[in-house]
Amino acid sequence: MTQTAPALGTQEEIDAEMAAISAGRDPTYVETQPRLDYPPYRSSLLRHPTKDLHPADPEGIELWAPVFGERDVDPIEADLTVQHDGQPIGERMVVTGRVLDGAARPVRRQLVEIWQANSSGRYIHQRDQHPAPLDPHFTGAGRCLTDDEGRYSFTTIKPGPYPWLNHRNAWRPAHIHFSLFGTDFTQRLVTQMYFPGDPLFALDPIYQSIVDPRARERLVASYDHDLTQPEWATGYRWDIVLSGGRRTPLESEVEA
Ligand SMILES: [Fe+2]
């Protein structure tokens, strides 16, 4: 028996659902993380947890600090523009910031990984087949270790927005995926960094699934002209907090 996919909703329908959720939130309650069951984000309906999490003994899961990869991190892995023979197309940019714990202490010498679409909004991934060009000079993945101040820095290309199938004419704001390890496993964090002033913020159910505007704005980098390098690259700054009440919001369960 063949199954036909359900018809996709419209942006107007998604907007109305998001507005109703936003209007119903308790503004006195600081809701810093995304709602895992957020109906405008269609696939969250089936994929969110329906049972309570199992309590785990933190001592038991923190016996060992995280260990990463099969080889050391090479500093060149922090530059996503030099992984091929030629220069990738797009806006060259530097993104840097500090990784902090809940007490604003630097998280030192820990792994930061990023992955992203190219300047056309296309990933090198089998499931991304939308008609935007791949760039033979851009893979879109990098990693680095934080320094003694908890600082990370990447040189990359500004990603483009891309379509997805949440609803008809659905587009994700431009973003870079970040994976962070801290000094224990409870600090593990996977999230997305956005760019200031993106016109798609109000339309995006992943961004809006963090219903507190102050919390979701913590995912938006700031443009920093002092970081911008003449004739070379624009600069963005974004700090990440791994724990505590100012924790950077997590990515929702499903990557998009
Ligand atoms: Fe993405």
Side-chain angles (χ1 to χ4, degrees), residues 115 123 162 172 175 177 192 255-256:
W115 62 100
Y123 284 102
Y162 60 79
R172 294 296 331 280
H175 58 274
H177 295 263
Q192 301 179 17
E255 173 199 328

Side-chain angles (χ1 to χ4, degrees), residues 42-65:
R42 294 294 189 236
S43 57
S44 75
L45 291 179
L46 288 176
R47 301 193 200 190
H48 74 274
T50 56
K51 297 189 169 55
D52 291 340
L53 297 174
H54 280 291
D57 173 12
E59 300 294 323
I61 60 173
E62 292 172 14
L63 288 174
W64 304 98

Side-chain angles (χ1 to χ4, degrees), residues 130-150:
H130 87 278
L134 291 172
D135 184 337
H137 299 135
F138 191 73
T139 301
R143 59 180 189 162
C144 73
L145 297 176
T146 56
D147 66 12
D148 284 346
E149 301 300 318

Side-chain angles (χ1 to χ4, degrees), residues 219-243:
L219 295 180
V220 183
S222 35
Y223 172 74
D224 185 342
H225 201 62
D226 291 333
L227 198 58
T228 293
Q229 299 167 24
E231 318 297 324
W232 182 246
T234 54
Y236 290 87
R237 197 172 288 281
W238 187 54
D239 291 341
I240 301 150
V241 180
L242 296 184
S243 52

Side-chain angles (χ1 to χ4, degrees), residues 74-155:
D74 190 311
I76 204 167
E77 293 180 71
D79 189 340
L80 286 73
T81 68
V82 296
Q83 295 175 345
H84 300 273
D85 289 341
Q87 293 283 345
I89 288 173
E91 176 185 329
R92 190 186 293 105
M93 53 166 278
V94 171
V95 56
T96 188
R98 296 179 75 206
V99 182
L100 305 167
D101 69 13
R105 294 174 300 206
V107 179
R108 301 185 171 101
R109 291 177 289 282
Q110 296 301 324
L111 184 68
V112 180
E113 299 165 291
I114 61 171
W115 62 100
Q116 62 167 99
N118 67 22
S119 62
S120 302
R122 178 90 186 263
Y123 284 102
I124 297 182
H125 192 285
Q126 219 171 357
R127 288 185 60 186
D128 186 356
Q129 297 293 336
H130 87 278
L134 291 172
D135 184 337
H137 299 135
F138 191 73
T139 301
R143 59 180 189 162
C144 73
L145 297 176
T146 56
D147 66 12
D148 284 346
E149 301 300 318
R151 197 176 300 114
Y152 71 87
S153 182
F154 291 101
T155 301

